[in-house]
C-alpha cells in the first residue's frame, strides 16, 4: 500500500540560516546548478515565463514572479517573488529582496518560505562560475577579470569564482558610482584575494584590459555599443542582460541558459533578434556547451547571457531546506494550515459513523 497523503508542516527559513548553509559550499552549489541545467534541458522541469509587476509612478522598480517545477530526485514546485528597487541603494539598503515558496510535489501545499535574496545571488553566481569554467575550455584561461557593476551580485560572482579555483593576476573594477567602486575595491582587499586591483574610470578601459568581463549592473537598456572594445575576444558574463548593444551581440559567439527566456523583455539578445528578424546569432545553451554539443571558437568575443531560471532557485532552495531540516533547526509554524477538514468539525462525526 502507498503511504497516505498528509499535509506537510510549514516552516520559515531565515536569511541567517540560508547564509550559514551556503557559506563555503561553492563547489557543491555549482555542481547542483549544473545538474539542474541538465534536468531542465532533458525536459524534467516546467519553467514558465517570468511575470513582471511594474509601477507607472516608479519606472525603475519592479517585482518579478518566477514560478517553476523541477522533477528528478528534487521533485518540488514553487515560486520566487523578487523585487528590484534600485533607489534603495541611495538609502543604504540592498536593491533586491526576495522570498522563495516551496510547494509539496504530491499535495501542492506550500511547506516552506525562505529568505531568497541570498539564494538568488547564489544561483546567479554559481551559473556564472559554471559558464566561466565551461566556456574557457579551448581558449586561453582568463587571468585578468573586470567587474562592470559592483553590487551584491558582483561580490557573489567573485566569491564563486575564487571558491571554485579561479585566481587572477589583475582585477579591474568599474561602476557609475565612485563610492560603489571604492567599496568593492575595499571588499576585494579585505577578502585577501591575490592580484592587482585597479579601479577604472572608463568602461572602455575596463573592457579592453580584461580577458573575463562580468556585467552585473541594473542597466535597463544597452550602453556599451563599440564593438572594437572587444577586439581581444574576451569571455563576457553578461549577467545583467541589457548592457550590450545588438551590434556587440551580433559580433560575438552567443551562449544562453535558455533560448526562450533570454529572447524576451528587451534583453540585448532580444533586441538582436528584433534587429535581424532571426535567431541565427545564437550558438547554443550552456547545457549544450557542457555536453560538448557546441564548439566555441576562440577568434570572437564570447558572451554568456543567463536570464536566470526559476528551477535554479528551486533546486538551491530545496537543498538549503533539506540541510536545515537535517540540522534540526527548522522553524515550523504550528497550525499554519488550519482548515483541514472538508466539512469542518461538524462533519467529522458523520464521516466516522459511515466508516464503522
Amino acid at each position: 500500500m502507498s503511504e497516505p497523503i498528509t499535509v506537510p508542516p510549514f516552516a520559515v527559513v531565515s536569511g541567517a540560516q540560508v547564509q550559514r548553509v551556503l557559506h563555503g559550499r561553492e563547489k557543491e552549489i555549482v555542481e547542483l546548478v549544473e545538474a539542474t541545467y541538465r534536468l531542465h534541458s532533458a525536459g524534467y522541469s516546467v519553467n514558465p515565463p517570468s511575470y513582471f509587476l511594474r509601477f507607472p509612478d516608479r519606472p525603475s522598480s519592479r517585482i518579478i514572479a518566477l514560478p517553476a517545477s523541477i522533477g528528478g530526485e528534487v521533485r518540488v514546485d514553487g515560486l520566487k517573488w523578487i523585487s528590484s528597487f534600485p533607489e534603495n541603494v541611495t538609502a543604504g539598503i540592498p536593491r533586491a529582496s526576495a522570498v522563495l515558496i516551496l510547494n509539496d510535489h504530491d499535495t501542492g501545499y506550500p511547506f516552506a518560505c525562505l529568505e531568497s535574496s541570498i539564494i538568488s545571488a547564489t544561483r546567479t553566481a554559481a551559473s556564472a562560475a559554471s559558464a566561466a569554467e565551461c566556456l574557457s575550455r579551448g581558449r586561453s584561461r582568463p587571468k585578468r577579470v573586470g567587474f562592470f557593476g559592483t553590487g551584491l551580485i558582483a561580490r557573489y560572482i567573485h566569491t564563486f569564482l575564487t571558491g571554485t579555483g579561479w585566481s587572477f593576476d589583475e582585477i579591474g573594477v568599474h561602476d557609475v558610482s565612485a563610492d560603489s567602486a571604492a567599496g568593492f575595491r575595499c571588499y576585494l582587499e579585505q577578502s585577501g584575494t591575490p592580484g592587482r586591483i585597479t579601479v577604472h574610470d572608463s568602461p572602455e578601459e575596463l573592457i579592453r584590459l580584461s580577458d573575463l568581463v562580468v556585467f552585473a549592473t541594473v542597466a535597463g537598456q544597452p550602453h556599451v555599443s563599440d564593438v572594437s572594445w572587444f577586439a581581444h575576444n574576451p569571455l563576457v558574463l553578461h549577467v545583467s542582460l541589457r548592457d550590450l548593444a545588438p551590434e556587440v551581440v551580433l559580433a560575438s559567439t552567443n551562449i544562453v541558459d535558455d533560448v526562450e527566456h533570454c529572447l524576451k523583455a528587451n534583453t540585448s539578445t532580444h533586441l538582436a533578434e528584433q534587429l535581424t528578424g532571426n535567431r541565427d546569432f545564437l550558438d547554443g545553451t550552456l547545457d549544450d556547451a557542457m555536453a560538448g554539443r557546441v564548439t566555441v571558437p576562440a577568434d570572437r568575443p564570447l558572451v554568456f547571457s543567463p536570464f536566470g531560471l526559476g528551477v535554479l532557485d528551486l533546486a538551491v532552495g530545496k537543498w538549503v531546506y533539506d540541510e536545515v531540516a537535517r540540522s534540526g533547526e527548522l522553524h515550523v509554524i504550528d497550525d499554519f494550515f488550519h482548515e483541514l477538514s472538508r466539512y469542518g468539525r461538524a462533519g467529522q462525526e458523520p464521516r466516522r459513523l459511515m466508516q464503522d
Side-chain angles (χ1 to χ4, degrees):
M1 294 180 59
S2 60
E3 294 185 4
I5 296 177
T6 59
V7 174
F10 186 79
V12 174
V13 181
S14 71
Q17 290 176 301
V18 171
Q19 192 168 59
R20 280 198 299 271
V21 168
L22 293 175
H23 180 71
R25 312 285 284 275
E26 290 84 11
K27 291 182 179 179
E28 292 173 81
I29 301 302
V30 167
E31 290 173 358
L32 174 64
V33 164
E34 290 176 348
T36 305
Y37 275 134
R38 288 191 289 269
L39 281 173
H40 177 67
S41 181
Y44 295 103
S45 69
V46 181
N47 207 107
S50 303
Y51 298 90
F52 289 74
L53 176 61
R54 300 186 184 276
F55 313 96
D57 60 328
R58 293 159 286 166
S60 67
S61 300
R62 63 187 187 271
I63 308 179
I64 311 171
L66 286 80
S69 174
I70 184 168
E73 295 182 359
V74 182
R75 281 173 47 92
V76 69
D77 312 321
L79 172 78
K80 180 172 75 170
W81 182 238
I82 182 166
S83 67
S84 175
F85 280 54
E87 293 181 4
N88 283 354
V89 176
T90 60
I93 60 176
R95 169 188 62 87
S97 58
V99 294
L100 177 68
I101 300 295
L102 300 180
N103 291 74
D104 179 62
H105 180 275
D106 295 323
T107 66
Y109 270 80
F111 64 87
C113 176
L114 298 87
E115 195 286 329
S116 197
S117 65
I118 298 170
I119 291 172
S120 185
T122 294
R123 63 85 153 146
T124 300
S127 172
S130 175
E133 185 65 35
C134 175
L135 299 177
S136 62
R137 296 169 190 156
R139 300 164 63 96
S140 296
R141 191 170 177 87
K143 299 301 292 182
R144 303 176 301 170
V145 63
F147 289 90
F148 198 136
T150 56
L152 180 89
I153 298 299
R155 174 162 61 86
Y156 268 73
I157 291 174
H158 173 262
T159 297
F160 266 77
L161 287 172
T162 58
T164 53
W166 285 79
S167 62
F168 301 98
D169 297 333
E170 298 182 30
I171 302 175
V173 175
H174 175 76
D175 198 288
V176 294
S177 165
D179 289 342
S180 294
F184 192 68
R185 176 173 189 162
C186 182
Y187 151 73
L188 292 171
E189 291 172 342
Q190 292 179 350
S191 70
T193 185
R196 184 177 66 181
I197 303 167
T198 304
V199 175
H200 296 283
D201 294 330
S202 74
E204 178 180 2
E205 188 176 65
L206 176 88
I207 293 170
R208 287 187 182 275
L209 294 177
S210 301
D211 308 313
L212 174 63
V213 183
V214 179
F215 282 96
T217 74
V218 293
Q221 58 188 14
H223 54 96
V224 175
S225 58
D226 195 330
V227 176
S228 70
W229 293 3
F230 301 85
H232 56 303
N233 301 325
L235 170 56
V236 179
L237 303 180
H238 190 203
V239 176
S240 38
L241 291 173
R242 296 175 178 83
D243 303 272
L244 303 179
E247 292 78 10
V248 177
V249 172
L250 297 174
S252 305
T253 297
N254 290 281
I255 303 294
V256 298
D257 60 352
D258 181 278
V259 173
E260 295 301 327
H261 282 77
C262 282
L263 271 65
K264 62 181 57 175
N266 288 328
T267 62
S268 295
T269 51
H270 188 203
L271 295 177
E273 180 190 32
Q274 294 175 45
L275 182 64
T276 61
N278 61 63
R279 298 177 173 183
D280 296 345
F281 59 90
L282 292 182
D283 295 88
T285 66
L286 181 58
D287 183 66
D288 290 331
M290 289 191 296
R293 294 187 293 268
V294 171
T295 301
V296 178
D299 60 352
R300 306 183 81 200
L302 175 54
V303 177
F304 173 58
S305 300
F307 194 84
L309 302 177
V311 290
L312 300 182
D313 296 280
L314 283 187
V316 175
K318 180 59 163 52
W319 190 84
V320 168
Y321 172 88
D322 289 342
E323 290 292 303
V324 175
R326 272 193 286 269
S327 72
E329 296 179 357
L330 274 179
H331 299 312
V332 175
I333 310 299
D334 293 328
D335 298 326
F336 185 84
F337 297 108
H338 181 63
E339 282 282 3
L340 297 179
S341 174
R342 188 173 186 183
Y343 301 106
R345 293 183 61 84
Q348 293 177 5
E349 185 63 26
R351 184 168 62 249
R352 285 200 297 270
L353 291 173
M354 290 174 64
Q355 292 171 347
D356 291 339

